[in-house]
Amino acid sequence: MSRIDGRTADQLRPVTIERGWSKHAEGSVLISFGDTKVLCTASVTDTVPRWRRGSGEGWVTGEYAMLPRATNTRGDRESVRGKIGGRTHEISRLIGRSLRAVTDLKALGENTVVLDCDVLQADGGTRTAAVTGAYVALADAIAWAQDKKLVKSKSQPLTGTVAAVSVGIVAGVPMLDLAYEEDVRAETDMNVVCTGDGRFVEVQGTAEGEPFAREELNALLDLAVAGCAQLDGAQRLALGTT
Amino acid sequence: MSRIDGRTADQLRPVTIERGWSKHAEGSVLISFGDTKVLCTASVTDTVPRWRRGSGEGWVTGEYAMLPRATNTRGDRESVRGKIGGRTHEISRLIGRSLRAVTDLKALGENTVVLDCDVLQADGGTRTAAVTGAYVALADAIAWAQDKKLVKSKSQPLTGTVAAVSVGIVAGVPMLDLAYEEDVRAETDMNVVCTGDGRFVEVQGTAEGEPFAREELNALLDLAVAGCAQLDGAQRLALGTT
Amino acid sequence: MSRIDGRTADQLRPVTIERGWSKHAEGSVLISFGDTKVLCTASVTDTVPRWRRGSGEGWVTGEYAMLPRATNTRGDRESVRGKIGGRTHEISRLIGRSLRAVTDLKALGENTVVLDCDVLQADGGTRTAAVTGAYVALADAIAWAQDKKLVKSKSQPLTGTVAAVSVGIVAGVPMLDLAYEEDVRAETDMNVVCTGDGRFVEVQGTAEGEPFAREELNALLDLAVAGCAQLDGAQRLALGTT
Amino acid sequence: MSRIDGRTADQLRPVTIERGWSKHAEGSVLISFGDTKVLCTASVTDTVPRWRRGSGEGWVTGEYAMLPRATNTRGDRESVRGKIGGRTHEISRLIGRSLRAVTDLKALGENTVVLDCDVLQADGGTRTAAVTGAYVALADAIAWAQDKKLVKSKSQPLTGTVAAVSVGIVAGVPMLDLAYEEDVRAETDMNVVCTGDGRFVEVQGTAEGEPFAREELNALLDLAVAGCAQLDGAQRLALGTT
Amino acid sequence: MSRIDGRTADQLRPVTIERGWSKHAEGSVLISFGDTKVLCTASVTDTVPRWRRGSGEGWVTGEYAMLPRATNTRGDRESVRGKIGGRTHEISRLIGRSLRAVTDLKALGENTVVLDCDVLQADGGTRTAAVTGAYVALADAIAWAQDKKLVKSKSQPLTGTVAAVSVGIVAGVPMLDLAYEEDVRAETDMNVVCTGDGRFVEVQGTAEGEPFAREELNALLDLAVAGCAQLDGAQRLALGTT
Amino acid sequence: MSRIDGRTADQLRPVTIERGWSKHAEGSVLISFGDTKVLCTASVTDTVPRWRRGSGEGWVTGEYAMLPRATNTRGDRESVRGKIGGRTHEISRLIGRSLRAVTDLKALGENTVVLDCDVLQADGGTRTAAVTGAYVALADAIAWAQDKKLVKSKSQPLTGTVAAVSVGIVAGVPMLDLAYEEDVRAETDMNVVCTGDGRFVEVQGTAEGEPFAREELNALLDLAVAGCAQLDGAQRLALGTT
């Protein structure tokens, strides 16, 4: 059975990672998963939030947003509505947690890196593209901070790599990296964040219709682990670290 | 190895479910998981949100909140801060999704049930207690609505039962139903929502420290499925449906 | 003439005061005036608001709120609406003023006590139950702070006791401690806060329909003073200070 | 004993009421109680809030605010802070209730009158000046609405007159119409709203320091009733209704 | 061709400037341009915003607002809506910039002057009246601050004078100082802020209908420069500096 | 005298206009003025705001925003702060007014076009790039709406073309299209919006330091008119209309 765009069930959409997109940011990446395009910028400051001061440890956090017309119909700006929606909050927190999972905050020292992930165009998988791209921007920003002697520790702040992918069951078939049209029709939807060595940072599975069985969960996890491994390769290629 | 409160790794804390706690609500439950106490009320109205009008289908949604001194140190009220935090949003959405997973919205007809889950005292596992208690309040509210002829369908709006439990890896050991002290020290933290027939509605696992391996994930899921089965029993006992 | 629940005009509803309801708070009380139930917790911190620092004096303040389904029909959460309503503000301020009237802030030292009064179930008189219960929680919290040596003064921070009750004119008859059904029909509604020695801290009377005459005001004050004296007895009994 | 401005204890400050201050409003008054100056405008619309539609009854409401430099030191604008403070809320509600107490909403028909009371300069007693001035603006606005045939009822919407004054105990002496310097030093502070026939619409007394005794309350009420009677005279003079 | 109020095209409305309107503010002016009345108060504090501390320089800023019934139909309060509209923001910024253009912030020293411009009655030209009146209030406030030795510099903080006027093209004719009725019908609307020596601080021209040609722009600028010169005279007269 | 990037005083930075950037929007343009990059999307809906319904006329409006790291140092998101700043408001309004100046709203019919202008990278002139790019997006969106028969009028909704450019006086020299470094040092800063036939839609000049003289204003206007004519050419080239 072939998918709406001709892919096989275990196939990623074309992935591109363009480093150095922004002239201002300490790290920046324009990542695309098919028609989903996310601009990820990493901003370094040599301070930490008040509650961490004096701890000797740094902080890494994420903020996710969508441009109003990133989607098929225009959405109101959250700045105009005056508050941030639940979905935005959830994804921002996911990005921050995912990156902290591979960061040694002690080695980072009292520096903060903010990863802004702004969706310029959406076609499903925006949060997984955001995590995957933000990792590359973070790597560049940390290298910059080491070069500027803001990070002084001898041990590497980055303790691993991290990437994310969506999986789901569409018309009974487990599939990798859902496009928007597939996502809408999925009975089960799962986002998985993995490290480069194949372990899990986040597993978030939701039954949109029917509850899902243990075997289905296992099949989805298999797909996700394989997908993350491919994304890990794309990240290494972009960073030139293979 | 024994736990801080003497439980075994696969043991729930004492669970109590007190129905009919409120004189006003159509369904209400005071549920406790050990020292965690959540008041769950179900409010029925014979309308639906604007975007569902005329669809013939109903809606079920959740709102989660904590009293300011439910926790060890007092937290500011979200009403005073003027906005709802990311964690509150996430859990409110989780409660709504979990209950909708076992509700036939067509059979519910154009009625709305709001599940308010207010944490009166917190000691870990507030969101899982909320889902578990809210299910019982929902069952009472739907029975009330059937009795009042607001729900007219012959088919049952509730298509199954649902309960939730937390699991985690503490000092390398997978454990069921973490108390706050354990939760703080957990390397991996997972919330699992299951139906009474042992399938999954939500699986949300997060590495707080080290990423977790596939075998660890499997061990946690085994614990969670067994825990949910016990909670399903407690729910049936409370509802007198066994 | 007998009242809807069979009471005489000068009779309080059954009052219960349950101390130590919360395991976390420094003082906590679940108080009921008939079906009205308010959870009052006292939180002590060894700091004061910025504008009092260095003054050597402490601060006592109150925050009042209702659970959304404390009432007969569900109300929207103030946290969701993003702002606190006028009624909530008024009652929070009333609670704080009432308790400060019997507190020697100098003897309290630079400590703050926040009294959170959350209405779990409402049936009229929620603000007066809140003041009455909050006093008991405050007494427990101050005793705790003295025990922990946070309060070091030799003179007692509590200079008296305080309780509150509602009175009103229903169908032309002055009545004590109105239940919701009575409150709705009252022509005049008054909340009175008294000290244990029979003096006034607050008198707030409002004509809901016809303006009220001086004699009616006097009759209401007589009822209120007698009612507060009974509540003072209930507080002493709960605290074991008779 | 003479007061800071040479008044006797039972003497009002000079009161001026200037009608027709605004060219746009249906009723408008610049009222002064000594150095306290409040601009009261009444705005009529031939609709009612959604919850009153179809009832055949009208609505009267108040909004109170202070210019930022009405006071001795500049206060931040509530519009800039993004929310209205508790004190503003309380006074706005007081103004609305006071005027509704002398308005037959049925005779008003489905019209709304909003009374905006903006304090241009503050020197104590701003809320009582606001109520007293707003009554005159309301009378003018209702006459306008009758003239324009918006109000069609044969019975008068205004069923009486209403005025307000502050009283308090300063250095042990009950005094009428406190100026700011007196208000700050008052042990007890009371605002009283009376109808022209000497009955009460609102009585709000607060012990700022020591609780107050029944005799003190009586002495304050005596002063307030006499003060309101004088204000009633000033209103009639301004309206030419004597 | 004569205007709605009989003026010639190049004629200002009657201008009045009443100094010392407020007993509290360090400088205060009630200015009128015809029926437009704006209360301008200047508040001096001996601190500066955080981002200027230690710079040795002061700050001058403006805040503009309208009373809700300053206009023909009542507008909602921005404090009630919880946010400030774009127009209010724009005008507040314009006032601040205009006054800073004639202030030597170094000579002012680390003091702040806030100019509050509250429109009591509106009939077109509120922002230009605000700038013109605020200058006079600022001059008084700086003189006060020099007298109190808050400003210690020997050089004058005020380096010039500033006034503002509106011009526009109505029915094809360039006109000075538009009243509301003219403003509504204007094809082009321009606000011009000039110094006393005839140079420009701000030029803000907007085509409301047809775009405007260079010659029209020139004609409008000629009118505005002449109008500002007259306002400069009125300011000097009010300040007694001629 | 040569500029920081080697341009002459009357030279624009390189301008690129990339149409069809977004797969979802009815019109979309990525425009760059040197290193300033703005994504402009036009969203068409076949409704109008409430206050225009039934008028037979359409509406065109703009919303401007910056990504947090579009600038040299990261700015907080307005959505996170919960309100929109004054500068954002001003520019959004400018974009809307500029485009409406060349739109026949009657010919547009009851359709709305929203122009979202999001600055991806900022280096001065973001608002002028936004206006210039938004015009092209609007032209594409109107063509789309005509093609879809949403716009039914025979007369063209677009009555002309519009472009914008900044000019300023830097070190005494009038210059065209200021880059950020120049803008910061400019004594006078002006934004000019022109139609393709050389008339003005907006002229907004501000003295940042010294007030500016009439001759300087004239020199700046000359530069701006010439710059807009070049931008008009770039727009026509992009649209293929000449």
Side-chain angles (χ1 to χ4, degrees):
Chain A
M1 186 201 114
S2 134
R3 297 166 71 174
I4 49 172
D5 51 5
R7 282 186 285 158
T8 56
D10 62 351
Q11 198 178 349
L12 293 174
R13 290 174 288 177
V15 173
T16 66
I17 299 177
E18 182 184 345
R19 283 164 71 203
W21 198 89
S22 156
K23 77 180 254 199
H24 298 304
E26 285 75 39
S28 67
V29 160
L30 181 64
I31 190 167
S32 65
F33 279 20
D35 281 334
T36 289
K37 299 182 191 179
V38 185
L39 178 56
C40 308
T41 60
S43 299
V44 178
T45 49
D46 61 353
T47 57
V48 282
R50 184 181 307 242
W51 51 274
R52 273 191 107 74
R53 288 193 195 141
S55 69
E57 300 195 6
W59 190 239
V60 174
T61 187
E63 290 196 8
Y64 169 95
M66 275 208 191
L67 294 196
R69 195 58 197 277
T71 45
N72 195 42
T73 51
R74 186 179 182 272
D76 286 342
R77 287 176 191 270
E78 294 186 317
S79 59
V80 170
R81 272 190 277 148
K83 56 182 176 182
I84 286 186
R87 181 180 174 278
T88 298
H89 255 135
E90 264 184 52
I91 301 178
S92 293
R93 286 155 55 93
L94 170 68
I95 295 168
R97 281 200 312 270
S98 297
L99 296 177
R100 287 194 297 275
V102 294
T103 310
D104 177 346
L105 296 174
K106 198 150 219 86
L108 183 57
E110 289 206 9
N111 297 292
T112 295
V113 190
V114 180
L115 279 303
D116 285 292
C117 300
D118 287 89
V119 179
L120 305 187
Q121 188 168 277
D123 186 29
T126 61
R127 82 186 69 187
T128 53
V131 168
T132 306
Y135 171 76
V136 178
L138 175 63
D140 276 342
I142 286 178
W144 177 91
Q146 289 173 318
D147 191 55
K148 295 287 179 193
K149 312 292 186 210
L150 291 177
V151 168
K152 298 167 191 117
S153 167
K154 282 172 192 162
S155 52
Q156 275 300 323
L158 280 180
T159 60
T161 68
V162 72
V165 79
S166 76
V167 286
I169 302 176
V170 183
V173 182
M175 290 182 179
L176 179 66
D177 186 25
L178 307 188
Y180 179 73
E181 285 299 319
E182 295 171 332
D183 190 54
V184 164
R185 293 185 296 121
E187 295 108 47
T188 292
D189 183 19
M190 189 174 303
N191 290 290
V192 179
V193 183
C194 286
T195 53
D197 61 3
R199 288 182 299 160
F200 299 99
V201 170
E202 291 270 341
V203 173
Q204 299 191 335
T206 299
E208 302 289 345
E210 275 295 282
F212 53 95
R214 184 72 173 263
E215 308 79 58
E216 291 173 307
L217 174 56
N218 284 336
L220 290 171
L221 290 169
D222 290 343
L223 277 177
V225 168
C228 282
Q230 288 182 62
L231 292 169
D232 182 67
Q235 288 172 327
R236 287 176 194 277
L237 202 64
L239 284 165
T241 52
T242 315
Chain B
M1 189 200 111
S2 135
R3 296 163 73 172
I4 49 172
D5 51 5
R7 281 187 286 158
T8 56
D10 62 351
Q11 197 178 349
L12 292 175
R13 289 175 289 177
V15 173
T16 66
I17 299 177
E18 183 185 344
R19 284 165 69 203
W21 198 89
S22 154
K23 78 179 255 199
H24 297 304
E26 285 74 40
S28 66
V29 161
L30 181 64
I31 190 167
S32 66
F33 279 21
D35 283 334
T36 289
K37 299 182 191 179
V38 185
L39 178 56
C40 307
T41 59
S43 299
V44 178
T45 49
D46 60 354
T47 56
V48 284
R50 183 182 307 245
W51 49 275
R52 274 191 107 73
R53 289 197 194 138
S55 69
E57 301 195 7
W59 190 240
V60 174
T61 186
E63 290 197 7
Y64 169 95
M66 275 209 191
L67 293 197
R69 195 56 198 278
T71 45
N72 194 43
T73 51
R74 184 178 184 273
D76 286 342
R77 288 176 191 269
E78 295 186 316
S79 59
V80 170
R81 272 190 278 147
K83 57 181 176 182
I84 286 186
R87 183 183 172 276
T88 298
H89 255 136
E90 263 184 53
I91 302 178
S92 293
R93 287 155 55 93
L94 171 68
I95 294 168
R97 282 199 311 269
S98 297
L99 296 176
R100 287 194 297 274
V102 294
T103 308
D104 177 347
L105 296 173
K106 197 151 220 85
L108 183 57
E110 289 206 10
N111 298 291
T112 296
V113 190
V114 180
L115 279 305
D116 285 293
C117 299
D118 286 89
V119 180
L120 305 187
Q121 189 168 278
D123 186 28
T126 61
R127 82 186 68 188
T128 53
V131 168
T132 306
Y135 170 76
V136 178
L138 174 63
D140 276 341
I142 285 178
W144 178 91
Q146 288 173 318
D147 191 55
K148 295 287 179 195
K149 312 292 185 210
L150 290 177
V151 168
K152 296 166 192 120
S153 167
K154 282 175 193 159
S155 53
Q156 275 301 322
L158 279 180
T159 60
T161 68
V162 72
V165 78
S166 76
V167 286
I169 301 176
V170 184
V173 182
M175 289 182 181
L176 179 65
D177 186 25
L178 306 190
Y180 179 73
E181 285 300 316
E182 295 170 331
D183 190 54
V184 164
R185 293 185 296 123
E187 294 108 47
T188 292
D189 183 21
M190 189 174 302
N191 291 291
V192 179
V193 183
C194 287
T195 53
D197 61 2
R199 289 181 298 160
F200 299 99
V201 170
E202 290 270 340
V203 173
Q204 299 192 335
T206 300
E208 302 288 344
E210 275 295 281
F212 52 97
R214 184 70 174 265
E215 308 79 56
E216 291 174 307
L217 174 56
N218 285 336
L220 290 172
L221 289 169
D222 290 343
L223 279 176
V225 168
C228 282
Q230 289 183 61
L231 291 169
D232 182 67
Q235 288 172 328
R236 288 176 193 277
L237 201 63
L239 285 165
T241 51
T242 313
Chain C
M1 187 201 113
S2 135
R3 296 165 72 174
I4 48 171
D5 52 5
R7 281 186 287 157
T8 56
D10 62 351
Q11 198 179 348
L12 293 174
R13 289 176 288 179
V15 173
T16 66
I17 299 177
E18 182 184 345
R19 284 165 70 204
W21 198 89
S22 155
K23 78 180 255 197
H24 297 304
E26 285 74 40
S28 66
V29 160
L30 181 63
I31 190 167
S32 65
F33 280 20
D35 282 335
T36 289
K37 299 182 190 179
V38 185
L39 179 57
C40 308
T41 60
S43 299
V44 178
T45 49
D46 60 353
T47 57
V48 284
R50 184 182 306 242
W51 50 275
R52 272 191 108 73
R53 287 193 197 143
S55 69
E57 300 194 7
W59 190 240
V60 174
T61 188
E63 290 197 6
Y64 169 96
M66 275 208 190
L67 294 196
R69 195 55 198 277
T71 45
N72 195 42
T73 51
R74 184 177 183 274
D76 286 342
R77 288 175 191 271
E78 294 187 316
S79 58
V80 171
R81 271 189 278 146
K83 57 182 175 181
I84 286 187
R87 182 182 173 276
T88 298
H89 254 135
E90 265 184 52
I91 301 178
S92 293
R93 285 154 57 93
L94 170 68
I95 295 168
R97 282 200 311 269
S98 297
L99 297 176
R100 287 194 298 275
V102 294
T103 309
D104 177 346
L105 296 174
K106 197 150 220 86
L108 183 57
E110 290 206 9
N111 298 291
T112 295
V113 190
V114 180
L115 279 304
D116 285 293
C117 300
D118 286 89
V119 180
L120 305 186
Q121 189 167 278
D123 186 28
T126 60
R127 82 185 69 186
T128 54
V131 168
T132 306
Y135 171 76
V136 177
L138 174 63
D140 276 342
I142 286 178
W144 177 91
Q146 289 173 317
D147 191 55
K148 294 287 179 196
K149 312 294 184 208
L150 290 178
V151 168
K152 296 166 192 118
S153 168
K154 282 173 194 163
S155 52
Q156 277 300 326
L158 280 179
T159 62
T161 67
V162 72
V165 78
S166 75
V167 285
I169 300 176
V170 183
V173 182
M175 288 182 179
L176 179 66
D177 186 24
L178 307 189
Y180 179 72
E181 285 300 317
E182 295 170 331
D183 191 55
V184 163
R185 293 185 297 122
E187 296 109 45
T188 292
D189 183 21
M190 188 173 303
N191 292 291
V192 179
V193 183
C194 287
T195 54
D197 61 2
R199 288 182 299 161
F200 299 99
V201 170
E202 290 270 341
V203 173
Q204 299 192 335
T206 299
E208 301 290 344
E210 275 295 282
F212 52 96
R214 184 71 172 264
E215 308 79 57
E216 291 174 308
L217 173 56
N218 285 335
L220 290 172
L221 290 169
D222 290 343
L223 278 176
V225 167
C228 281
Q230 288 183 60
L231 292 169
D232 182 67
Q235 289 172 328
R236 287 177 194 276
L237 201 65
L239 285 166
T241 53
T242 315
Chain D
M1 189 203 111
S2 135
R3 295 164 72 174
I4 49 172
D5 51 5
R7 281 186 286 158
T8 56
D10 61 351
Q11 198 179 348
L12 292 174
R13 290 175 288 178
V15 173
T16 66
I17 298 177
E18 183 184 345
R19 284 165 69 204
W21 198 90
S22 155
K23 77 179 256 198
H24 297 303
E26 284 75 40
S28 66
V29 161
L30 181 64
I31 190 167
S32 65
F33 280 20
D35 282 336
T36 289
K37 299 183 191 179
V38 185
L39 178 56
C40 308
T41 59
S43 299
V44 179
T45 48
D46 60 354
T47 56
V48 284
R50 181 181 307 242
W51 50 275
R52 273 191 106 73
R53 288 193 195 141
S55 69
E57 301 194 7
W59 190 238
V60 174
T61 187
E63 290 197 8
Y64 169 95
M66 275 208 191
L67 294 196
R69 195 55 197 279
T71 46
N72 195 42
T73 50
R74 185 177 184 274
D76 286 342
R77 288 175 192 271
E78 295 187 317
S79 59
V80 170
R81 272 190 278 149
K83 58 180 174 183
I84 285 187
R87 182 181 172 278
T88 298
H89 255 135
E90 264 183 53
I91 301 178
S92 293
R93 286 155 56 93
L94 171 68
I95 295 168
R97 281 199 311 270
S98 298
L99 296 175
R100 287 193 298 273
V102 294
T103 310
D104 177 347
L105 296 173
K106 195 148 222 88
L108 183 58
E110 288 205 10
N111 297 291
T112 295
V113 189
V114 180
L115 278 306
D116 286 292
C117 300
D118 287 88
V119 179
L120 304 187
Q121 187 167 280
D123 186 28
T126 61
R127 82 186 69 186
T128 53
V131 168
T132 305
Y135 170 75
V136 177
L138 174 62
D140 276 342
I142 286 179
W144 178 91
Q146 289 174 317
D147 191 56
K148 295 286 179 196
K149 311 292 184 210
L150 291 176
V151 168
K152 295 163 194 124
S153 167
K154 282 172 193 163
S155 52
Q156 276 300 323
L158 279 180
T159 61
T161 67
V162 72
V165 78
S166 75
V167 285
I169 301 176
V170 184
V173 182
M175 289 183 181
L176 179 66
D177 186 23
L178 306 189
Y180 179 72
E181 285 300 316
E182 295 170 331
D183 191 54
V184 163
R185 293 185 297 122
E187 295 108 46
T188 293
D189 184 20
M190 188 174 303
N191 291 291
V192 179
V193 184
C194 287
T195 53
D197 61 3
R199 288 183 298 161
F200 298 99
V201 169
E202 291 269 341
V203 174
Q204 299 192 336
T206 299
E208 302 289 344
E210 275 295 281
F212 52 95
R214 185 71 173 265
E215 308 80 57
E216 291 173 309
L217 174 55
N218 285 336
L220 290 171
L221 290 169
D222 290 343
L223 278 176
V225 168
C228 281
Q230 289 183 60
L231 292 169
D232 182 67
Q235 288 173 328
R236 286 177 195 276
L237 202 64
L239 285 165
T241 53
T242 314
Chain E
M1 187 202 113
S2 135
R3 295 165 72 174
I4 49 172
D5 52 4
R7 281 187 286 157
T8 56
D10 62 351
Q11 196 178 351
L12 292 175
R13 289 175 289 177
V15 173
T16 66
I17 299 178
E18 183 184 345
R19 283 166 68 204
W21 198 88
S22 154
K23 77 179 255 198
H24 297 304
E26 285 74 41
S28 65
V29 161
L30 181 63
I31 190 168
S32 65
F33 278 22
D35 282 334
T36 289
K37 298 182 191 179
V38 185
L39 179 56
C40 307
T41 60
S43 299
V44 179
T45 49
D46 60 354
T47 56
V48 284
R50 183 181 307 243
W51 50 275
R52 273 190 107 73
R53 287 195 195 139
S55 69
E57 301 195 5
W59 190 239
V60 173
T61 186
E63 290 196 8
Y64 169 95
M66 275 208 190
L67 293 197
R69 195 56 198 278
T71 44
N72 195 43
T73 51
R74 185 178 183 273
D76 286 341
R77 287 176 191 271
E78 295 186 317
S79 59
V80 170
R81 271 190 278 147
K83 57 181 176 181
I84 286 186
R87 182 181 173 278
T88 298
H89 255 136
E90 264 184 53
I91 301 178
S92 293
R93 287 154 56 94
L94 171 68
I95 295 168
R97 281 199 311 269
S98 296
L99 296 176
R100 287 194 298 274
V102 294
T103 309
D104 177 346
L105 296 173
K106 197 151 220 85
L108 182 58
E110 289 205 9
N111 297 291
T112 296
V113 190
V114 180
L115 278 305
D116 285 292
C117 300
D118 287 88
V119 180
L120 305 187
Q121 188 167 277
D123 185 30
T126 62
R127 82 185 68 188
T128 53
V131 168
T132 306
Y135 170 76
V136 177
L138 174 64
D140 276 341
I142 285 178
W144 177 91
Q146 288 173 316
D147 191 55
K148 296 287 179 194
K149 312 294 186 207
L150 290 177
V151 168
K152 298 170 190 112
S153 167
K154 281 173 194 161
S155 52
Q156 276 301 324
L158 280 180
T159 60
T161 67
V162 72
V165 77
S166 74
V167 286
I169 302 175
V170 185
V173 182
M175 288 182 180
L176 179 65
D177 186 25
L178 306 190
Y180 180 72
E181 284 301 315
E182 295 170 332
D183 190 54
V184 164
R185 293 185 296 124
E187 295 108 48
T188 292
D189 183 21
M190 188 173 303
N191 291 291
V192 178
V193 184
C194 286
T195 52
D197 62 1
R199 289 181 298 160
F200 298 100
V201 170
E202 290 270 341
V203 173
Q204 298 191 336
T206 299
E208 302 290 344
E210 275 295 282
F212 53 96
R214 184 71 173 263
E215 309 80 56
E216 291 172 306
L217 174 55
N218 285 337
L220 290 171
L221 289 169
D222 290 343
L223 278 177
V225 168
C228 282
Q230 288 182 61
L231 292 169
D232 182 67
Q235 289 172 328
R236 288 176 192 277
L237 201 64
L239 286 165
T241 51
T242 317
Chain F
M1 189 202 111
S2 134
R3 296 165 71 173
I4 48 172
D5 52 5
R7 281 186 288 157
T8 56
D10 62 351
Q11 196 178 349
L12 293 175
R13 290 175 288 179
V15 173
T16 67
I17 298 177
E18 181 184 346
R19 283 166 70 202
W21 197 89
S22 155
K23 78 179 253 199
H24 297 303
E26 285 75 39
S28 67
V29 160
L30 182 64
I31 189 167
S32 65
F33 279 22
D35 282 334
T36 289
K37 299 183 191 178
V38 185
L39 179 56
C40 308
T41 59
S43 299
V44 178
T45 49
D46 60 354
T47 56
V48 284
R50 182 181 307 243
W51 50 274
R52 275 191 106 74
R53 289 195 194 139
S55 69
E57 300 195 6
W59 190 240
V60 174
T61 188
E63 290 197 7
Y64 169 94
M66 274 209 191
L67 293 196
R69 194 57 198 277
T71 45
N72 194 42
T73 51
R74 186 178 182 273
D76 287 341
R77 287 176 192 270
E78 295 186 316
S79 58
V80 170
R81 273 190 277 147
K83 57 182 176 183
I84 285 187
R87 182 181 173 277
T88 298
H89 255 135
E90 264 183 52
I91 301 178
S92 294
R93 287 153 56 91
L94 171 68
I95 294 168
R97 281 198 312 271
S98 297
L99 297 176
R100 287 194 298 273
V102 294
T103 310
D104 177 346
L105 296 173
K106 198 149 221 86
L108 183 57
E110 289 206 9
N111 298 291
T112 295
V113 189
V114 181
L115 278 305
D116 285 292
C117 299
D118 287 88
V119 179
L120 305 187
Q121 188 168 278
D123 186 30
T126 60
R127 82 186 69 188
T128 52
V131 168
T132 306
Y135 170 75
V136 177
L138 174 63
D140 276 341
I142 285 178
W144 177 92
Q146 289 172 316
D147 191 55
K148 294 288 178 194
K149 312 293 185 209
L150 291 177
V151 168
K152 297 165 192 119
S153 167
K154 281 174 194 161
S155 52
Q156 275 301 322
L158 280 180
T159 60
T161 68
V162 72
V165 79
S166 76
V167 286
I169 302 176
V170 184
V173 181
M175 289 182 178
L176 178 66
D177 185 24
L178 306 189
Y180 179 72
E181 284 300 316
E182 294 170 332
D183 190 55
V184 163
R185 293 186 296 121
E187 295 109 45
T188 292
D189 184 21
M190 189 174 302
N191 291 291
V192 179
V193 183
C194 287
T195 53
D197 61 3
R199 289 181 299 160
F200 299 99
V201 170
E202 292 269 340
V203 173
Q204 298 191 336
T206 299
E208 302 289 344
E210 276 295 281
F212 52 97
R214 185 71 173 263
E215 309 78 59
E216 291 173 308
L217 174 55
N218 285 336
L220 290 171
L221 289 169
D222 291 343
L223 278 177
V225 168
C228 282
Q230 289 182 59
L231 291 169
D232 182 67
Q235 289 172 328
R236 287 176 194 277
L237 200 64
L239 284 165
T241 52
T242 299

